[in-house]
Amino acid sequence: MAYLTLHRKKLQDNFNYLKNLFEEHDVSWGIVSKLLCGNRKFLKELIDLGVHEIHDSRISNLAKIKEINPEIQTVYIKPVSKRNIAKMVKYADVSLNSELTTIRWISEEAQKQGKTHKIIIMVETGDLREGVMGDHLVDFYAQIFELPNIEVIGLGTNLNCLNGVMPSTDKLIQLSLYKQIIELKFNKKIPWVSAGTSVTIPLMLHKQLPKGVNHFRVGETLFFGVDLFEEKVIDGMHGDVFELYAEIIEMQEKPLLPTGTLAANPQGEVAEIDESLYGRSSFRAILDIGLLDVDPKYLIPEDGEFEILGASSDMLILNLGENPKHYKVGDTVKFGLKYMGALGILNSSYVDKLVE
């Protein structure tokens, strides 16, 4: 059976690297755990690092975090739907918001539960996902400050999440200026400018982060050690905290080209035929993992000598050429993972999860 391994020591190293980096810049931060898909074993590994704040986009995952350690500050990181507000207020100490109507509902629910709910107001800075437009911000805050059981603790933004707009010093300075305007206008202290995600870390590394930005929400760089500007692993971090192992369940020498009348496969694809390959064959391996678990384009083969040919719902097919490594049925093949690949695997109940 295919299985995913989390390497505890490499995760600890990455955490310590980021902890030291943020302490050096006097920046608060929380870990985004949504990649772990609520896996209790992996969440406990995260908490055991000494984390004080965890962010997630699924309320059920925040509930598990509170079960493991109620003292951790939990942050819900997407606009909440009306039907989920009661659960969100119960399990999230903080939420990211951009709709006045929703915040009013949160205020009403917080009163019912006898809580003060903290919010970060998301501001649109160009990527066109969630966020209040800057020219509406003062009026927006004027109404939020009147709501009972709501504590505004920050302004935030998301970049590079929808249209690929990258963070820049200018954009983050603008967000910091919004904070100053709000504080002066309403004589209120807003602790956080939460403009940092994994994609913003390179600005910090290159001393280009404005001083006003003082809070980060980090997931991908913790788990993959990646500099998202240059798409490479940061020196001193690990890119292989997660590794996937899949077992060979068939090994046969077969023609390189299919035979018969071709139509679209279940994925809607029609095979392209290179007539120069007629009469040629190679060794093919079938692995015990498929599209139900992961899209092959997010897999990084450790062995660069074979080719991923494609996948069906439950099987992955490799072209091993002449099979110089002498793979056989029962052997395991190791893959690194891109973020979306790890997300698919972690969301699959059909792949075992181990800690080493």
Side-chain angles (χ1 to χ4, degrees), residues 231-251:
E231 297 187 352
K232 67 177 186 179
V233 176
I234 296 168
D235 289 343
M237 300 193 79
H238 301 284
D240 55 351
V241 170
F242 290 108
E243 290 182 318
L244 172 68
Y245 296 81
E247 185 176 322
I248 297 175
I249 55 176
E250 180 187 294
M251 169 68 72

Side-chain angles (χ1 to χ4, degrees), residues 34-86:
K34 64 181 181 180
L35 176 72
L36 304 182
C37 296
N39 183 285
R40 187 177 293 272
K41 183 189 301 180
F42 288 175
L43 284 174
K44 190 170 186 310
E45 290 294 325
L46 204 60
I47 290 167
D48 286 348
L49 293 172
V51 175
H52 302 293
E53 178 182 310
I54 296 182
H55 302 224
D56 210 295
S57 57
R58 306 290 178 176
I59 298 170
S60 59
N61 297 345
L62 296 179
K64 290 180 182 178
I65 292 162
K66 284 295 191 185
E67 289 173 11
I68 298 170
N69 185 344
E71 300 305 313
I72 288 179
Q73 177 162 271
T74 50
V75 184
Y76 187 64
I77 57 172
K78 72 176 184 180
V80 63
S81 61
K82 183 178 181 181
R83 66 188 298 269
N84 283 322
I85 286 174

Side-chain angles (χ1 to χ4, degrees), residues 3-15 36 41-42 45-46 49 222-224 237-245 302 334-337 346 353-356:
Y3 62 95
L4 179 75
T5 295
L6 181 150
H7 295 287
R8 178 185 289 129
K9 178 62 166 58
K10 293 178 180 180
L11 178 64
Q12 179 76 63
D13 290 345
N14 283 2
F15 174 79
L36 304 182
K41 183 189 301 180
F42 288 175
E45 290 294 325
L46 204 60
L49 293 172
L222 172 69
F223 296 114
F224 297 92
M237 300 193 79
H238 301 284
D240 55 351
V241 170
F242 290 108
E243 290 182 318
L244 172 68
Y245 296 81
E302 182 193 45
K334 184 164 71 171
F335 297 89
L337 294 161
L346 280 154
K353 282 81 176 178
L354 309 177
V355 177
E356 287 188 354

